[in-house]
């Protein structure tokens, strides 16, 4: 699945001389490959009890990571030279047709297998308090710019705390449009994503109405102050054989998703990492291939992958303007998980910079 063979490397070196249409062609080819390998990708994310059945299957060989992908700066130079030809909007293929009747249900459901949900995140920093507490919006990257989610950092919180809503005008904790939240530790290096259900202390004894933990994000601390790309780990609940998210409702913080991962209690958990960028000598920068979806260099640009298949991009996020970013996600992530992971990258991380 998405194996990069050695003979592809010379082709990638010629990318700088090719037209921007090459990016869209590659994306079309990769999307076809995704549809053919849907079953394979689904098995990677099954809960541990389900994975045991697939132990006898031989893992597929992985090719080398491309070391000559187009860098963000190269794409910028090309666009300047063309003076309007091949505008950025044409470079980014729009999201496939996605329709839904229930917005709240859609943003909580995993992406359809074989479909990349392409979105855009905009940051609104206008106003006095918005410079400290910006508003973030998630829309489908299509002609209609269909609204999905809004998020904002809560004021007067001990740690960073973001509310996520399905109404751009209602970002209150007690509102009926509240669907989830993102909370960090004191250092801003670990984040947990929750749904909108009750705190375990106020839930029923059987925990049926207690909140679920949807994801944990860990940023590696930079104790030496070395420059370079961030390193992050994303932990999410595993998927059942019916491709439903396994509910994770901890009774207390000691039983939470991040603590389980720290104690190596990884049953029903999926571990993901950001794809390591490759150092490019020509541009003297770290580069990743975003297939034309990202056009500006930023420390916030990243791709999330599973260790069993580094070429299946579970999620990618990157800058295209000062306050505009693209966010694309695949199965098994849902919109709330992907948006929360993106919000965590905006938060200040003194220990990671």
């Amino acid at each position: 699945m998405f194996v990069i063979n050695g003979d592809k490397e010379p082709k990638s070196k010629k990318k700088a001389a090719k037209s921007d249409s090459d990016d869209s062609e590659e994306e079309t080819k990769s999307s076809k490959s995704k549809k053919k390998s849907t079953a394979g990708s689904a098995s990677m994310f099954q809960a541990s009890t389900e994975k045991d059945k697939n132990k006898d299957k031989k893992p597929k060989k992985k090719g080398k990571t491309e070391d000559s992908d187009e860098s963000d700066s190269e794409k910028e130079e090309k666009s300047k030279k063309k003076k309007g030809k091949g505008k950025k909007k044409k470079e980014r293929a729009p999201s496939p047709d996605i329709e839904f009747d229930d917005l709240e249900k859609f943003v909580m459901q995993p992406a359809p297998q074989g479909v990349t949900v392409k979105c855009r995140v905009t940051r609104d920093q206008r106003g006095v308090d918005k410079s400290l507490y910006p508003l973030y919006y998630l829309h489908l990257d299509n002609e209609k710019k269909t609204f999905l989610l809004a998020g904002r950092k809560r004021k007067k919180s001990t740690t960073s705390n973001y509310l996520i809503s399905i109404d751009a005008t209602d970002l209150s904790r007690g509102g009926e449009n509240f669907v989830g939240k993102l909370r960090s530790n004191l250092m801003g290096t670990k984040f947990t994503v929750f749904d909108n259900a009750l705190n375990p202390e106020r839930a029923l004894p059987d925990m049926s109405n207690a909140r679920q933990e949807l994801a944990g994000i860990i940023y590696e601390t930079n104790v030496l102050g070395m420059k370079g790309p961030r390193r992050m780990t994303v932990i999410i609940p595993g998927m059942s054989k019916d491709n439903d998210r396994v509910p994770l409702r901890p009774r207390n913080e000691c039983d939470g998703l991040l603590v389980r991962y720290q104690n190596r209690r990884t049953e029903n958990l999926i571990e993901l990492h950001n794809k390591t960028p490759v150092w490019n000598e020509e541009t003297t920068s770290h580069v990743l291939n975003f297939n034309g979806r990202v056009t500006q260099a930023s420390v916030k640009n990243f791709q999330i992958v599973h260790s069993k298949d580094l070429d299946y991009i579970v999620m990618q996020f990157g800058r295209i303007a000062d306050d505009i970013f693209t966010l694309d996600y695949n199965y098994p992530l849902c919109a709330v998980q992907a948006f929360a992971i993106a919000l965590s990258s905006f938060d200040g991380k003194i220990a990671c910079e």
Side-chain angles (χ1 to χ4, degrees), residues 39-285:
S41 62
S43 64
M44 280 196 302
F45 306 109
Q46 284 183 1
S48 53
T49 51
E50 302 293 340
K51 285 182 184 175
D52 294 339
K53 299 176 184 178
N54 301 321
K55 280 184 178 178
D56 295 332
K57 293 183 179 180
K58 293 181 180 179
K60 296 183 179 179
K61 294 181 180 178
K62 299 171 191 170
K64 294 180 180 179
T65 307
E66 290 185 356
D67 58 357
S68 55
D69 294 330
E70 282 187 321
S71 67
D72 296 323
S73 58
E74 285 175 341
K75 288 176 183 174
E76 279 190 288
E77 288 176 12
K78 280 169 42 177
S79 61
K80 287 178 183 176
K81 289 178 183 178
K82 294 191 175 181
K83 295 182 180 179
K85 293 181 182 179
K87 293 181 181 179
K88 291 177 183 178
K89 287 185 180 178
K90 291 183 180 180
E91 289 178 4
R92 295 187 305 276
S95 181
D97 292 333
I98 295 174
E99 296 181 358
F100 50 83
D101 297 321
D102 187 335
L103 177 56
E104 182 173 359
K105 184 178 180 182
F106 172 77
V107 297
M108 295 300 293
Q109 284 182 333
Q113 292 188 43
V115 175
T116 299
V117 182
K118 298 180 180 180
C119 306
R120 178 178 292 197
V121 175
T122 53
R123 176 174 57 186
D124 182 3
Q125 300 185 92
R126 295 170 295 178
V128 179
D129 66 334
K130 285 185 181 178
S131 60
L132 295 174
Y133 303 97
L135 285 169
Y136 300 93
Y137 303 102
L138 181 71
H139 295 80
L140 285 178
D141 198 2
N142 55 17
E143 290 184 3
K144 297 179 181 179
K145 298 293 183 286
T146 309
F147 171 79
L148 296 179
L149 295 166
R152 188 174 191 178
K153 191 174 184 178
R154 295 181 72 184
K155 302 174 183 178
K156 300 178 181 178
S157 292
T158 307
T159 62
S160 294
N161 202 318
Y162 293 80
L163 291 180
I164 300 173
S165 171
I166 53 172
D167 187 335
T169 62
D170 179 15
L171 283 158
S172 60
R173 176 68 176 81
E176 61 181 15
N177 297 301
F178 167 67
V179 291
K181 74 172 183 176
L182 171 74
R183 187 180 69 195
S184 81
N185 63 352
L186 285 171
M187 294 286 288
T189 56
K190 295 181 180 180
F191 295 78
T192 304
V193 185
F194 303 92
D195 68 4
N196 60 354
L198 294 177
N199 186 300
E201 295 177 359
R202 299 194 299 271
L204 295 172
D206 64 358
M207 299 289 286
S208 58
N209 64 341
R211 68 189 180 193
Q212 292 187 46
E213 292 193 2
L214 302 177
I217 307 112
I218 304 167
Y219 288 87
E220 185 175 310
T221 55
N222 186 358
V223 293
L224 299 178
M226 296 173 65
K227 295 290 183 181
R230 292 173 174 173
R231 293 183 181 179
M232 58 192 293
T233 300
V234 177
I235 312 300
I236 59 174
M239 308 298 288
S240 69
K241 60 183 177 182
D242 297 321
N243 299 320
D244 294 322
R245 190 183 304 112
V246 176
L248 180 62
R249 296 186 175 93
R251 291 187 175 275
N252 51 59
E253 291 187 2
C254 296
D255 192 35
L257 192 152
L258 290 175
V259 175
R260 291 189 188 189
Y261 173 73
Q262 181 180 332
N263 296 333
R264 302 190 182 279
R265 293 164 51 208
T266 57
E267 183 181 357
N268 295 335
L269 300 184
I270 303 298
E271 180 180 350
L272 306 170
H273 296 274
N274 66 309
K275 191 171 185 177
T276 305
V278 179
W279 179 255
N280 188 310
E281 291 291 348
E282 293 180 5
T283 61
T284 63
S285 62

